[in-house]
Amino acid sequence: MDRETVLVGIDAGTTKVTTLIGEVGRTGDVNIIGYGIAPSVGMKKGMVANIDQTVNSIASSIEKAERLSGYKISSAFVSVGGSHIGSQNSRGVVAVSGHKREVSREDVARATDAARAVQVPSNREILHVVPRGYIVDGQEGIKDPLGMSAVRLEVETHIVAGAATSVQNLSKCITQANVAIDEMVISSLAAAEATLTDTEKELGVLVADIGGGTTDVAIFVDGAVYHSAVLPVGGINVTNDVAIGLRTSLNLAEEIKIKHGTANLNEVQPEELLNVAVLGDEGGQTIQRRKLCEIIEARMSEIYSLLREEVKRSGHAGMLPAGVVLTGGGARIGGAADLARDVLEMPVRIGSPQGVGGLMDQLSNPAFATPIGLLLWGAEHVGAEPLTAYSNGSSVGAGFGRVVDWVRGLFPG
Ligand SMILES: Nc1ncnc2c1ncn2[C@@H]1O[C@H](COP(=O)(O)OP(=O)(O)OP(=O)(O)O)[C@@H](O)[C@H]1O
Ligand SMILES: [Mg+2]
């Protein structure tokens, strides 16, 4: 990357919409120069449930970020979630062309196209075709085949697709908020960008972004994504359980959960008491804190059991030495990592977003791994000229440089 540019990430989650504006330096470093966080209304389980409400939520977060930075946003990298998202691995094979029999960019693009040509039903839209590695004349484990002498080139890819209508509803909302889409990135891959180290990805690791409505999962093996999925459970389920179990309102349940909750029952003494307002009872009730935490522990255990199933489904049970990295607001509950270690029987750490500077005061917690990852994804993929760019004849980085228009002065103060 030979010049500075500005990128935008928009993460429309089930509970909050985050818009981040990041300046990308000559060396690829990313600094946040504007952010806008707005409550999300109109989304359910990571999907658009009401267009107008979602557009308003997105527009409000965009406006905050524009005011803070003095930039007008014209396009953005956008996260996509929801349990309609599924993945599969596919291999593409081509004969190396050209009289020199050296692997060219064109051969790589053709191989990726061949892998992409899997049977995808017409009601599904392909979101990612990620090259995992190459096989050159039978030699496996090649990361960059360009220039190698060969007759036959194979590529292993990870393909992610979602329900076409869900994807279209989200892009409709972004467009109606007057922003063009640079690229859609599934939440788990964005969260991985902001939290996983290269070593973890090489060794084998699972990242789980526990949001409000969904838990977005990606498994990395040999440095590349091998499996991805979205589970339809998250922090909102925990809050609902607390509200029902303690017979209190959702707002109060959310507050109590965050203030007094933990998923690690070893941290809770039986004599600890809480006063909780009860629906229809002015005086409220006194409960054991343990009762609250048992409710939380039960639901968090369920989420972790689903993660364990997902590891099994991927075929990598017992083969993820770097363990599990938890992100998302749901991972902020006390004892989240302790309980996960028990249920999953793997090393577990909480992943706070890394690798960006600038206005990070409010953003350096796991709930912002996805939006921060969107900027890192953008910084990497815009500069790197993704291989698929050659197959459709247009460069993904075409929007580069016109991502935002400089309009400082338009926004007073
Ligand atoms: N400090 C905290 N302690 C416990 N839970 C928290 C804390 N902060 C946030 N949460 C929970 O995190 C959840 C929201 O997480 P996040 O902001 O990652 O979700 P989202 O991106 O809006 O939703 P999704 O990714 O599912 O579409 C809520 O259920 C909230 O209760
Ligand atoms: Mg999220």
Side-chain angles (χ1 to χ4, degrees), residues 149-161:
S149 296
V151 178
R152 177 187 164 93
L153 175 71
E154 294 169 72
V155 61
E156 297 266 15
T157 63
H158 181 69
I159 298 185
V160 182

Side-chain angles (χ1 to χ4, degrees), residues 42-378:
M43 303 269 301
K44 276 217 173 86
K45 298 226 168 273
M47 285 178 284
V48 177
N50 179 305
I51 298 262
D52 287 349
Q53 289 175 340
T54 304
V55 172
N56 285 340
S57 305
I58 293 171
S60 144
S61 110
I62 287 174
E63 194 194 310
K64 287 181 188 182
E66 287 182 337
R67 278 187 187 280
L68 185 58
S69 65
Y71 279 96
K72 173 113 184 69
I73 295 169
S74 61
S75 75
F77 289 83
V78 174
S79 70
V80 45
S83 56
H84 58 94
I85 291 168
S87 68
Q88 69 188 95
N89 291 333
S90 167
R91 188 177 278 203
V93 190
V94 292
V96 175
S97 61
H99 59 273
K100 272 162 67 191
R101 294 277 177 200
E102 269 179 20
V103 176
S104 66
R105 285 183 188 281
E106 203 247 320
D107 294 320
V108 171
R110 279 192 305 119
T112 309
D113 268 356
R116 176 192 272 267
V118 285
Q119 283 300 320
V120 176
S122 61
N123 60 353
R124 308 278 296 165
E125 191 163 311
I126 292 185
L127 293 162
H128 296 287
V129 180
V130 186
R132 297 180 24 79
Y134 300 87
I135 303 164
V136 180
D137 281 354
Q139 187 186 347
E140 295 195 19
I142 309 283
K143 293 267 152 111
D144 181 5
L146 282 183
M148 288 182 78
S149 296
V151 178
R152 177 187 164 93
L153 175 71
E154 294 169 72
V155 61
E156 297 266 15
T157 63
H158 181 69
I159 298 185
V160 182
T165 48
S166 295
V167 174
Q168 282 156 14
N169 282 333
L170 177 64
S171 67
K172 203 180 283 179
C173 291
I174 301 285
T175 313
Q176 283 188 23
N178 293 316
V179 170
I181 297 172
D182 290 319
E183 191 180 354
M184 282 189 168
V185 184
I186 57 166
S187 295
S188 60
L189 290 186
E193 288 283 328
T195 56
L196 300 184
T197 66
D198 288 344
T199 310
E200 283 172 330
K201 288 192 256 190
E202 278 304 325
L203 286 171
V205 70
L206 177 148
V207 63
D209 185 274
I210 309 175
T214 62
T215 295
D216 302 78
V217 188
I219 293 175
F220 287 76
V221 179
D222 297 332
V225 60
Y226 186 84
H227 181 76
S228 54
V230 181
L231 311 172
V233 275
I236 291 174
N237 298 90
V238 180
T239 303
N240 283 341
D241 292 350
V242 170
I244 293 165
L246 302 185
R247 292 188 296 127
T248 190
S249 71
L250 284 174
N251 283 343
L252 257 170
E254 175 78 6
E255 197 184 311
I256 297 165
K257 174 183 92 170
I258 291 177
K259 217 163 155 191
H260 305 288
T262 174
N264 181 358
L265 294 178
N266 299 325
E267 286 174 359
V268 191
Q269 309 308 319
E271 59 274 15
E272 289 179 71
L273 299 176
L274 298 172
N275 194 273
V276 178
V278 179
L279 292 172
D281 179 353
E282 302 255 314
Q285 61 175 342
T286 301
I287 59 149
Q288 285 184 307
R289 180 173 170 233
R290 195 173 171 91
K291 185 174 172 191
L292 164 74
C293 298
E294 278 169 358
I295 297 170
I296 294 170
E297 194 256 4
R299 182 61 87 163
M300 293 301 289
S301 291
E302 188 214 358
I303 295 177
Y304 296 147
S305 306
L306 293 171
L307 289 181
R308 199 177 46 206
E309 292 305 308
E310 215 48 59
V311 176
K312 267 192 208 147
R313 197 166 300 146
S314 77
H316 279 270
M319 293 188 283
L320 299 174
V324 173
V325 176
L326 300 174
T327 72
R332 299 186 73 197
I333 192 88
D338 301 327
L339 179 64
R341 245 170 250 128
D342 281 357
V343 176
L344 289 154
E345 299 174 300
M346 284 196 256
V348 177
R349 71 173 178 90
I350 303 292
S352 278
Q354 304 288 325
V356 295
L359 303 175
M360 281 293 288
D361 287 8
Q362 287 198 50
L363 305 173
S364 41
N365 83 61
F368 295 99
T370 297
I372 285 169
L374 284 175
L375 290 181
L376 292 169
W377 177 284

